[in-house]
Structure formats: structure tokens, C-alpha cells
Amino acid sequence: MKKTIRFLALLLAMILSFTACGSSSEESQPPEPPAEPVTSDTLYVQKVENLPEDFIMGMDASCVPALEASGVKYYDYDGSEKDVYEILSANGINYIRVRIWNDPFDGDGKGYGGGNCDIANAIAIGKRATQYGMKLLVNFHYSDFWADPGKQMTPKAWKNMAIDEKEAALYDYTKDCLQQLVEAGVDVGMVQVGNETNGALCGIKSSELGGWERITRLMQAGSKAVREVCPHALVAIHFANPENTDSYVSYGKNLDYYQVDYDVFASSYYPFWHGTLENLSQVLSDIATTYHKKVMVAETSYAFTAQDTDFSGNTIGEGGGIVKNYPFSQQGQANLVRDVIDTVVNDTVNGIGVFYWEGTWISVGTESYEKNSALWEQYGSGWASSYASGYDPDDAGKYYGGCAVDNQAFFDARGKVLESLKVFSLVREGNVVENRPDAIEDANVVLDLKGEITLPETVNAIMLDNSREAIDVEWQDVDEEAMKSGGVAKYTVYGTAGGMEAVCYVSMVNYNFLQNGSFEEGELGWVATQITDFDELKVEDKVTDSLTGNFHYHFWGAAANCVEFTLEQEVKELKSGLYDYAISIMGGDGGETEIYAYVKLNGQIVSTAATRITVYNEWHTATIEGIDYTEGDSIVVGIYVKCAGPNAWGKIDDASLSSAA
Ligand code: CA
């Protein structure tokens, strides 16, 4: 009896191995020649300790066929033209990720763009990935075009379906696609059921009545199809914005409560949007520990240059040379990747891998916008074509164009592979080269209009190993008198340091007597007091929500009438005189509000200035002028906020106390 069971199990395993995923037939293939070891004379890579052999080094490369149709070719380090998937594999990439849209075409068969990523595109890519020994992560968006935290639009064909029908359609569609991939011999290792499904999927929002119940039903339908067709593949659920820790806690809870059958909780991590690596490892570890799941980074990326090469603006780059400690250089890009891998391996519970997003999406041409635009339209090689306007009128319809990440690829504008790609291989043993300055950190000085103009004598060189070293700098001459008489203004001064260009941003200001007025140093100097109990009141690290710098003070309360607090600072060592105080706020959903800036002298409020919150990115500045201060008195400046609306939220930034003009 026992023997029979074992025999049947063996037979079943044999059948499965010929029909299911991971079944690329190995019998007829010639033995692979031993891979050339990856070496570099110029790229510094600090070893990632404890790196498992099978750790996923992934690359999303969904646009390649559309780019190739547009004339793009890829070249290896020796200048020879090669299959880009072979180049990726040779440099340590062991997994390819590909997105799938149900039907990214209009009624005339014109592609929406973004690679026109349908199932046929995924099969073509999957076959090439498999050919070079890499597994495939199949990323279903369950939409006809981009799905992300901003939009989760239903496929055209499913638009009027009730939830039961949609559930069945999603199951059938997933099953059909995976069967096609398996039949094509593709080595499917993982399947993502939805993309950045932050509380929405396939047209359903979690804020609707029963929203989570329906979203998770769809996820479960996708998961069921994966289990049936690809029993060896991992099922991943994917979210974005790990900096919103409370949201991640709620995603984990909902997946558990509604019993979604999944293996991997995956997160995007874009360093310029998504908080710190410390925070990322903490939120993922919490999920891994609480629900016994694997976790990974499904998308990350960084710029190797600030330059755009295809006449279509980029997500990051122009207008800034550095974000989050890494310079926009190949070394900076490699260091970011190395640090994300290190975080997932060494600081995160059950971390299994890191995928880089669209590291092969480069410019289709460097000659003119017109030439490129024609290619984007014809082959779908830009982020969106005009043909997407009907399906996505508000975003693609208005802003369709080229590639927004060509400066974050691992290939230059002509398709030549960059040295930085080697990081995926070199992290295994490390690659120590002689340390030297790689870039110069921008200097920032704030000078009082009433004081001296002194520029820094040194600037920070960012070394290959991402450490900082102060080196001498030579600034071009500045017109000091003009700067002093020019009032509050900003100037850019250029110089030279270590043979590289140095930049100093000079802000001429009425000196700010407040400490940490822009919250760049966290809570330092500030006291926040919750008068009522509500959900969030804290310093937040988010450049897009800050008036200046990366940080601001954030508040949010879910219930009606719950938000009431003060945020204030006691000013020390102030000389007698007249002063002006200002503080800025933006926010929304406040309902009826009472918000004012105030000044307290010796514990008594002596002056207030009312302000308000309206909508995102509309900042309001409250100003109190002519504060008459006498040395020895205690002086406190602050802001009082009270909101009646449910979900009231806001951001406070840039407080200043300066000499009255
Ligand atoms: Ca671009």
C-alpha cells in the first residue's frame, strides 16, 4: 500500500514536471559553457553578507520587444550586439518580470504604449528569459493599461460585469495566460496577482462598501488559477508606498482576514518617494513575522544621470543632482541597488529578492522629438500613445509621450550596457577598487541679509563607497553687494572641486531664529501636543509633500471632530527687538476648521493669525509681524489646528522667526 502511494506520487510528479511550470525540457539541451566571471576595474561594490545562492536578482524588462521594433539594439561591454536578456543573465540577473495588460489596444488595433504589454509580449519575453536560464515573474495588472496606486481601471471587456462574473473572468483569463506561457516552455517562477493594488483592483476601491471583500475575492480567483496551472510558482500580492506604515498593516490584515492564498508580500521601493530603507525593512518584517509570508522588493530604480535622452521628461533627474544620499551616477545607481539588496537580505525577515524596474527601457532615438514621437505612436515604445486617450483620458490622454526612466536604465541612450549592471553579480563577493571622489554633493548655505557673505571653503565629495570626504573648493566670484541689497532671494554659485563642478545654493534670508524651521532634523526644537486623540501626528520624510526640503510635520485623523493639536517651539537667546513670525500649512478634508499661528510671551498668547487648509499642494502662510520682544521674557511661537471633517489631513512646514524689516 505504502509502495503504491509512493509510486503514484512519483508518477504524478513526473506528469506534473512535463505539464506544469518550471518544466523546460532539459534532456536535449547541450551543457552550458561555464559563465565568464563578472569583474570590474572601476565599480566599487561592497559585499552583501549572508546572500543566499538563490536570492532573486530580478529585472523588469517588459518594453524590450516594443523598443526593438522601434529600432533599439543592445550592446555588450565589448561593443558587440547581443540579446539584451543574455546580457542581463550574464551579469547576475536570474529573474525577469513582465507586466500583462488584458487588451492594450483601441478599436482599430492601435497600441496604448508602455510596451503594448499583452500576453503575446509576455510569451516572447518569457521564452527569451527561459533560454538564458532566468525564471519569469508574471505581473498581471488586470487592466488594459497601467495599474498603480493612482488608477486600477477595469479591462474594457469586464467593464459592466457584476462581481461574480468579474471573478470568473479573472480566473479564466489568468488560467488561459499561464497555460499559454507553460505551453510555450516558459519557466514561470512567480505570479503577481495585481500591481500596486493599494486598496483598489480592477475598478473596485476598498473605500466602497464591501470593497476589500470584493478585491480579495478577485485576488483569490487569480491565486487559484496560479495554483492549478503552475503549482510550483509563488503567488505574490504587490503594494506600493511602504512609508505609509499603517496602510501596509491594513493590507496584511485584509489579506489574512479574507484568506487570500499567497506566498509573497511584495512592495515597491523607490528611494525618492518611499521613505527610508530602515522603514521598508521594518514594515516588511512585520508582515513576514505576523503572517508567515515571504517578502520582497518588486520594483526599485535609480538614476545614473540627470540627463534626459528622448525628449520626454523623466521622473527624476532634471533640476537636482542627488536624491537620498546617492549621486546620479553609475556608482550611485549601483550603491542604491546594493543597499536595497543588503536591506532585504540582512535587515528583513524572509526577504527573498529584489526586482529592478524597467532597467532596459531606453531612448528610441536621440535626434528629435518628432522622430521619437512617431516611433512611440507606431510601436508603443513610449509610456503612453495617443491611442490610449479613449481608455485613460485623464492621464495618458493628456500627457502621452516617451520614456520617463531612460536615465534609470542599465544601458545608455545607444543601448550600450553600463558598468553599474555588474552590481547584481559583484554583490556576491564584493569588488573593492581604489576609493576616489565620484561626485560632488551640492552645498547649501543660508545667509542673513544683515550679515556677512561667506561661502563654504570645502564641499563634500561623494566617494565610490558612498562615504563623504570634505575637499577644497574654489568658487567663482560673486557680487556681494548685489546679493545683500537684493532682498530675500536664492542664488546659484558654481565652482570647482576635485576637477568636478561644484554647486552652492545660497539663500539670502532674514535670518531664522527658530531651530529646525523646516523639520529637516525631525522633532528637534519642536513640541507637538495632541489635545484630542487622533491617528497621526509626526514628522514625515516625503519630498513631494514638503514645502522645502524633504521633511514636514504631518497630521491625519480618520474620525470626524478628532483633530486638535498645537505644534510649538520655545525660542532661546533672542535679543530685544521687533520680529516677524511665519508658518505654512496645506491639507484637505478639514470640514469646519480653526487654524491659527500664535505667539506666546511669558505664557500668554499675545497675537494670532488665522489660516486654513484647502487642497493638496495649496500652501497657506500665516504671518505675525512686529512682535515686540524684550530680552529675558519667554517667547513661544506655534500653530493651533482643529478640524471637524473626517479624514482631515495636513502638512506643516517652513516656520520662521526673523528680524522685522
Ligand atoms: Ca525621458
Side-chain angles (χ1 to χ4, degrees):
M1 187 69 180
K2 212 173 179 182
K3 246 184 198 166
T4 316
I5 289 170
R6 202 181 283 162
F7 171 74
L8 283 173
L10 189 70
L11 190 70
L12 191 66
M14 282 168 66
I15 292 166
L16 282 172
S17 76
F18 284 108
T19 55
C21 296
S23 67
S24 58
S25 51
E26 283 154 33
E27 71 271 26
S28 62
Q29 293 188 1
E32 296 261 325
E36 290 269 322
V38 173
T39 60
S40 176
D41 297 332
T42 54
L43 193 72
Y44 180 101
V45 181
Q46 193 187 339
K47 180 180 179 179
V48 171
E49 303 290 344
N50 313 309
L51 186 54
E53 185 71 26
D54 62 351
F55 188 79
I56 294 172
M57 302 284 186
M59 181 69 70
D60 191 305
S62 302
C63 266
V64 169
L67 293 166
E68 290 172 337
S70 304
V72 165
K73 293 179 164 63
Y74 294 93
Y75 301 92
D76 209 344
Y77 294 104
D78 63 3
S80 63
E81 192 188 330
K82 276 217 179 103
D83 187 334
V84 64
Y85 295 97
E86 183 179 5
I87 298 175
L88 294 173
S89 170
N91 286 284
I93 297 295
N94 56 22
Y95 235 103
I96 295 295
R97 179 175 186 252
V98 64
R99 62 179 165 276
I100 297 186
W101 294 319
N102 291 41
D103 179 25
F105 300 93
D106 73 3
D108 299 324
K110 303 281 193 187
Y112 290 168
N116 296 341
C117 293
D118 60 1
I119 177 63
N121 183 69
I123 291 170
I125 289 174
K127 283 162 89 167
R128 287 163 73 176
T130 303
Q131 182 186 344
Y132 296 108
M134 299 179 285
K135 287 183 185 290
L136 194 72
L137 163 50
V138 182
N139 171 18
F140 287 106
H141 283 219
Y142 298 124
S143 182
D144 287 341
F145 207 34
W146 298 104
D148 56 42
K151 51 184 174 188
Q152 293 280 343
M153 288 181 294
T154 315
K156 295 180 284 292
W158 301 355
K159 205 172 171 207
N160 297 315
M161 288 184 175
I163 181 65
D164 290 350
E165 297 169 288
K166 208 181 249 188
E167 188 181 7
L170 190 147
Y171 167 80
D172 289 340
Y173 175 74
T174 307
K175 203 165 174 175
D176 176 53
C177 287
L178 292 176
Q179 273 164 348
Q180 290 187 53
L181 283 158
V182 169
E183 278 160 23
V186 173
D187 188 2
V188 176
M190 198 186 311
V191 180
Q192 221 182 281
V193 181
N195 188 70
E196 293 190 333
T197 48
N198 286 12
L201 174 63
C202 211
I204 299 165
K205 294 185 176 123
S206 63
S207 54
E208 296 164 12
L209 189 64
W212 268 121
E213 191 263 342
R214 281 179 288 156
I215 288 170
T216 49
R217 263 174 75 182
L218 295 183
M219 287 174 169
Q220 182 53 31
S223 171
K224 183 165 177 276
V226 181
R227 297 295 190 218
E228 287 171 15
V229 184
C230 295
H232 301 295
L234 296 170
V235 174
I237 310 285
H238 176 208
F239 301 96
N241 303 100
E243 76 281 14
N244 296 336
T245 50
D246 291 350
S247 301
Y248 269 42
V249 169
S250 96
Y251 302 151
K253 266 189 193 160
N254 278 297
L255 294 176
D256 183 61
Y257 182 82
Y258 291 108
Q259 300 183 355
V260 176
D261 172 23
Y262 74 106
D263 307 297
V264 184
F265 186 101
S267 176
S268 293
Y269 179 73
Y270 292 103
F272 31 89
W273 294 326
H274 292 158
T276 62
L277 283 168
E278 289 74 20
N279 177 69
L280 174 74
S281 60
Q282 194 172 337
V283 293
L284 290 182
S285 294
D286 284 351
I287 299 278
T289 309
T290 310
Y291 304 110
H292 310 287
K293 298 296 177 186
K294 299 177 187 354
V295 296
M296 71 173 194
V297 169
E299 296 181 14
T300 190
S301 70
Y302 202 71
F304 69 90
T305 173
Q307 239 88 55
D308 172 54
T309 56
D310 75 341
F311 312 99
S312 187
N314 289 340
T315 313
I316 58 165
E318 297 94 341
I322 176 169
V323 183
K324 283 280 157 123
N325 296 327
Y326 305 94
F328 288 166
S329 64
Q330 289 191 45
Q331 183 65 59
Q333 184 187 31
N335 281 339
L336 177 275
V337 168
R338 184 263 164 207
D339 288 353
V340 174
I341 292 170
D342 186 53
T343 298
V344 174
V345 171
N346 287 306
D347 301 333
T348 308
V349 177
N350 298 343
I352 61 164
V354 173
F355 283 83
Y356 195 93
W357 194 72
E358 284 285 10
T360 50
W361 195 351
I362 60 173
S363 177
V364 294
T366 54
E367 277 175 51
S368 72
Y369 172 83
E370 288 70 21
K371 275 195 171 178
N372 288 0
S373 182
L375 293 168
W376 300 329
E377 289 287 289
Q378 189 176 353
Y379 299 109
S381 46
W383 86 268
S385 75
S386 65
Y387 307 116
S389 303
Y391 183 67
D392 181 16
D394 295 337
D395 193 3
K398 285 181 186 154
Y399 309 111
Y400 63 87
C403 175
V405 293
D406 46 298
N407 65 335
Q408 300 190 55
F410 284 99
F411 296 82
D412 71 16
R414 284 167 189 81
K416 175 87 187 286
V417 64
L418 302 181
E419 196 72 8
S420 48
L421 180 63
K422 294 178 178 175
V423 66
F424 292 100
S425 178
L426 295 177
V427 284
R428 294 193 177 272
E429 294 303 327
N431 193 61
V432 176
V433 298
E434 198 185 340
N435 212 9
R436 59 172 177 80
D438 174 53
I440 303 295
E441 204 165 65
D442 294 343
N444 286 284
V445 287
V446 179
L447 301 176
D448 193 357
L449 280 162
K450 297 177 193 73
E452 295 287 301
I453 293 193
T454 325
L455 296 177
E457 290 179 0
T458 61
V459 287
N460 276 337
I462 306 172
M463 308 299 284
L464 293 185
D465 67 357
N466 213 38
S467 66
R468 303 303 196 261
E469 257 180 41
I471 62 171
D472 291 342
V473 61
E474 187 106 9
W475 299 111
Q476 290 169 2
D477 288 339
V478 296
D479 185 346
E480 296 194 9
E481 286 316 306
M483 285 169 79
K484 278 192 188 178
S485 59
V488 174
K490 288 186 160 72
Y491 300 89
T492 305
V493 181
Y494 294 93
T496 312
M500 286 178 273
E501 184 180 76
V503 180
C504 183
Y505 296 106
V506 181
S507 299
M508 299 301 298
V509 298
N510 290 307
Y511 188 80
N512 189 357
F513 293 92
L514 296 183
Q515 197 182 10
N516 184 27
S518 184
F519 304 100
E520 299 305 297
E521 295 165 85
E523 303 278 346
L524 185 71
W526 292 96
V527 176
T529 307
Q530 283 202 2
I531 297 165
T532 49
D533 189 27
F534 58 96
D535 304 270
E536 290 178 358
L537 182 63
K538 63 183 182 184
V539 172
E540 191 174 64
D541 176 359
K542 199 170 197 179
V543 64
T544 50
D545 288 2
S546 300
L547 183 53
T548 64
N550 292 313
F551 296 79
H552 58 268
Y553 223 98
H554 154 93
F555 67 87
W556 169 67
N561 293 309
C562 74
V563 171
E564 187 180 6
F565 68 93
T566 59
L567 177 66
E568 60 182 37
Q569 177 169 146
E570 183 173 7
V571 191
K572 305 272 174 64
E573 293 169 17
L574 197 62
K575 293 201 164 55
S576 295
L578 290 176
Y579 293 92
D580 297 338
Y581 166 57
I583 190 163
S584 296
I585 187 167
M586 71 127 162
D589 302 317
E592 195 176 318
T593 64
E594 186 182 1
I595 302 173
Y596 57 82
Y598 61 86
V599 177
K600 277 199 270 189
L601 290 175
N602 298 321
Q604 294 296 317
I605 290 184
V606 295
S607 192
T608 62
T611 185
R612 63 208 173 100
I613 53 174
T614 47
V615 293
Y616 179 74
N617 238 351
E618 196 165 277
W619 287 89
H620 302 274
T621 303
T623 309
I624 298 174
E625 292 179 341
I627 303 158
D628 191 354
Y629 177 75
T630 308
E631 227 170 305
D633 287 354
S634 91
I635 174 167
V636 169
V637 297
I639 186 166
Y640 169 86
V641 178
K642 186 180 182 182
C643 302
N647 282 312
W649 61 274
K651 316 281 175 173
I652 297 165
D653 209 353
D654 285 19
S656 66
L657 183 71
S658 53
S659 301

